[in-house]
């Protein structure tokens, strides 16, 4: 849906001559993508401030990608009537991917040279939008981040010490996990940034957003060649309620794991780490069963299933989250359990072969058998449990998973 104000033709066109003194003596087109979920009280003020900040040399349009259940679409339509630049709305009936999914949909629809992403709650000051774009032009950057942690920046608008601590901890963890991809970005958790359309357009089909930290997704998957920052002070919300919840925090952690395990080697490492934690429920169940008088051999078999279930839950929720839609959960669990128990059957004959047939000492033979069966189990899990069914993936050989199929929006 497109709703344009009475001044849209004057400021939204792309054929005007650049005014005297315009930076670079050239016009620049920019699309401001604003994902919304029940932000009716903020829309008019946001567009008013954006219009007041807009310099003459920027050809601007606002693109709302709306997942609202209130009257936000009507509020956008009313505010657009007096807006001096075009206002477009994409209303999604199914909010796939939450806030980040909305931004990706906007990125695919945008046709301008620059794209600015910002929230609708006015915690991101609209007056800074032109500076983000101009900094990108001047520095020849592909990505310009509005940072709370650059010189002069502030997170004063975060309510309470808890949210400040969570934000700081998330930033440190994220930069520690992706030091190369996030080099030069002091605030990877920022939701306010400008990016060249050419940087993101070629990678739009491989973006797999989850939750609300879209900058992290873009920086890691699109790998912009040059990055710049502009300090800003995080403001208090103008109206409405914050969408940051514990559930969003858990989705953020799942997104981190998904990004960090994008390569087979990384997935194998995490697969092994999760497997190590599976010893805890295994040994706990074994101790409880033997204490109840059960013979240790059947107790070993039963206790192993507790470890199998533990491993499956974490591997399914974290490691292969984006592939869960390929098979029913019962099918995935059955296949995983079969492979995990087959590991026991394979390991003992392999140890015997190494010791009796090849003269390897018991301890090295056991270690080698564990390593061998671990690699076999990891490969088999990828191929037999989480490989897309035939016809589900267009490019399975390139290792690109489908977009998450959960049909839920930002809570």
């Amino acid at each position: 849906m497109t709703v344009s104000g009475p001044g849209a033709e004057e400021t939204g066109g792309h054929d005007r001559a650049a005014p005297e003194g315009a930076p670079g003596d050239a016009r620049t087109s920019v699309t401001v993508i604003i994902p919304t979920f029940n932000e009716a009280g903020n829309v008019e003020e946001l567009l008013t401030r954006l219009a007041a900040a807009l310099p003459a040399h920027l050809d601007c349009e606002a693109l709302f990608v709306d997942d609202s259940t209130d009257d936000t679409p009507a509020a956008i339509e009313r505010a657009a009537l007096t807006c001096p630049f075009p206002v477009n709305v994409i209303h999604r009936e199914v909010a796939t991917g939450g806030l980040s999914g909305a931004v990706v949909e906007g990125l695919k629809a945008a046709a301008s040279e620059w794209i600015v992403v910002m929230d609708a709650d006015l915690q991101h000051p609209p007056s800074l939008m032109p500076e983000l774009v101009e900094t990108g032009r001047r520095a020849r950057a592909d990505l310009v981040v509005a940072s709370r942690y650059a010189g002069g920046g502030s997170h004063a608008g975060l309510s309470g010490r808890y949210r400040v601590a969570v934000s700081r901890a998330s930033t440190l963890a994220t930069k520690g996990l992706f030091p190369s991809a996030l080099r030069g970005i002091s605030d990877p958790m920022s939701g306010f940034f400008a990016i060249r359309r050419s940087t993101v357009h070629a990678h739009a089909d491989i973006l797999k957003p989850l939750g609300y930290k879209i900058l992290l997704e873009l920086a890691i998957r699109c790998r912009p060649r040059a990055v710049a920052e502009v300090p800003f002070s995080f403001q208090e919300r103008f109206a409405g309620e914050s969408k940051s919840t514990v559930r969003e925090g858990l989705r953020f952690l799942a997104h981190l794991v998904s990004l960090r395990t994008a390569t087979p080697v990384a997935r194998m490492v995490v697969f092994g780490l999760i497997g190590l934690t599976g010893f805890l429920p295994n040994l706990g169940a074994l101790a409880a069963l033997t204490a109840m008088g059960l013979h240790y051999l059947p107790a070993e078999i039963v206790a192993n299933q507790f470890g199998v279930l533990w491993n499956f839950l974490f591997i399914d929720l974290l490691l292969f989250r984006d592939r869960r839609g390929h098979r029913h959960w019962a099918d995935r669990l059955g296949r995983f359990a079969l492979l995990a128990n087959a590991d026991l059957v394979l390991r003992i004959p392999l140890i015997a072969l190494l010791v009796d047939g090849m003269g390897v000492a018991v301890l090295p033979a056991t270690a080698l058998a564990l390593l061998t069966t671990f690699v076999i189990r990891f490969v088999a899990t990828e191929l037999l449990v989480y490989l897309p069914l035939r016809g589900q993936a267009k490019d399975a050989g390139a290792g690109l998973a489908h977009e998450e199929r959960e049909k839920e929006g930002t809570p």
Side-chain angles (χ1 to χ4, degrees):
M1 174 174 71
T2 301
V3 283
S4 299
E9 289 188 6
E10 286 86 9
T11 61
H14 295 270
D15 54 356
R16 290 181 300 165
E20 290 290 331
D25 294 324
R27 305 200 59 75
T28 303
S29 62
V30 57
T31 298
V32 182
I33 296 176
I34 309 163
T36 49
F37 179 75
N38 297 348
E39 298 286 0
N42 294 314
V43 168
E44 182 178 0
E45 182 68 17
L46 170 63
L47 289 178
T48 299
R49 294 189 193 182
L50 199 57
L54 194 65
H57 68 277
L58 283 187
D59 289 328
C60 177
E61 70 164 329
L63 175 57
F64 288 88
V65 186
D66 182 60
D67 299 333
S68 298
T69 56
D70 66 355
D71 63 343
T72 296
I76 296 172
E77 188 169 358
R78 288 193 302 270
L81 294 176
T82 56
C83 189
F85 50 81
V87 178
N88 301 315
V89 182
I90 299 174
H91 183 73
R92 304 195 305 168
E93 295 299 331
V94 179
T96 306
L99 192 68
S100 293
V103 173
V104 170
E105 190 152 345
L107 292 172
K108 292 179 180 180
S112 57
E113 179 185 355
W114 280 92
I115 298 169
V116 173
V117 176
M118 65 186 302
D119 291 345
D121 55 16
L122 294 164
Q123 291 186 300
H124 300 154
S127 59
L128 197 62
M129 184 277 286
E131 185 176 348
L132 291 175
V133 176
E134 183 53 33
T135 297
R137 291 184 59 193
R138 189 171 55 246
R140 298 184 182 276
D142 298 313
L143 172 67
V144 184
V145 178
S147 173
R148 296 164 293 177
Y149 306 123
S154 168
H155 50 63
L158 282 176
S159 57
R161 294 182 179 179
Y162 171 76
R163 286 193 64 191
V164 172
V166 169
S167 177
R168 283 286 192 181
S170 300
T171 297
L172 291 173
T174 302
K175 288 183 69 65
L177 286 171
F178 306 98
S180 177
L182 298 180
R183 185 177 293 113
I185 301 177
S186 64
D187 192 359
M189 313 304 290
S190 176
F192 191 18
F193 57 89
I195 190 168
R196 290 185 189 270
R197 179 179 176 271
S198 57
T199 299
V200 70
H201 183 69
H203 304 278
D205 289 337
I206 67 170
L207 296 174
K208 297 187 284 288
L210 179 64
Y212 59 105
K213 298 304 179 184
I214 184 61
L215 174 60
L216 183 62
E217 175 85 7
L218 292 172
I220 292 172
R221 298 200 190 277
C222 298
R223 294 298 178 107
R225 290 171 297 178
V227 177
E229 289 192 328
V230 172
F232 90 107
S233 295
F234 195 72
Q235 306 295 305
E236 292 186 3
R237 167 176 275 275
F238 182 76
E241 298 180 353
S242 173
K243 308 305 187 296
S244 297
T245 63
V246 173
R247 186 179 183 183
E248 279 300 312
L250 293 175
R251 291 176 70 165
F252 166 67
L253 292 176
H255 193 201
L256 279 185
V257 174
S258 176
L259 289 170
R260 185 65 277 175
T261 58
T263 65
V265 173
R267 282 197 299 276
M268 184 180 292
V269 171
V270 175
F271 187 89
L273 292 175
I274 292 175
L276 288 175
T277 67
F279 282 112
L280 296 175
N282 192 326
L283 294 176
L286 180 62
L289 291 170
T290 52
M292 293 167 57
L294 187 64
H295 190 272
Y296 77 91
L297 284 179
E300 286 274 10
I301 296 173
V302 174
N304 187 60
Q305 309 316 307
F306 284 85
V308 168
L309 182 59
W310 172 281
N311 290 343
F312 172 76
L313 288 175
F314 281 93
I315 287 171
D316 199 64
L317 288 172
L318 298 177
L319 193 57
F320 292 106
R321 183 186 180 93
D322 58 348
R323 303 190 196 181
R324 285 171 13 184
H326 300 323
R327 299 180 189 275
H328 189 271
W329 70 266
D331 187 10
R332 300 195 306 273
L333 175 57
R335 289 167 177 261
F336 185 86
L338 183 62
L339 290 172
N341 285 287
D343 174 64
L344 291 174
V345 177
L346 177 61
R347 195 186 312 154
I348 294 174
L350 183 56
I351 293 173
L353 175 64
L354 291 170
V355 173
D356 297 332
M358 303 178 65
V360 180
V362 173
L363 288 180
T366 302
L368 185 57
L370 284 169
L371 179 61
T372 302
T373 55
F374 163 73
V375 173
I376 291 174
R377 186 152 54 91
F378 169 74
V379 173
T381 298
E382 276 217 289
L383 295 180
L384 300 180
V385 180
Y386 292 100
L387 186 70
L389 296 171
R390 182 172 297 179
Q392 280 190 322
K394 295 181 179 179
D395 192 12
L400 301 178
H402 282 308
E403 274 193 324
E404 182 192 46
R405 298 187 178 191
E406 291 181 347
K407 308 299 183 180
E408 58 181 354
T410 304

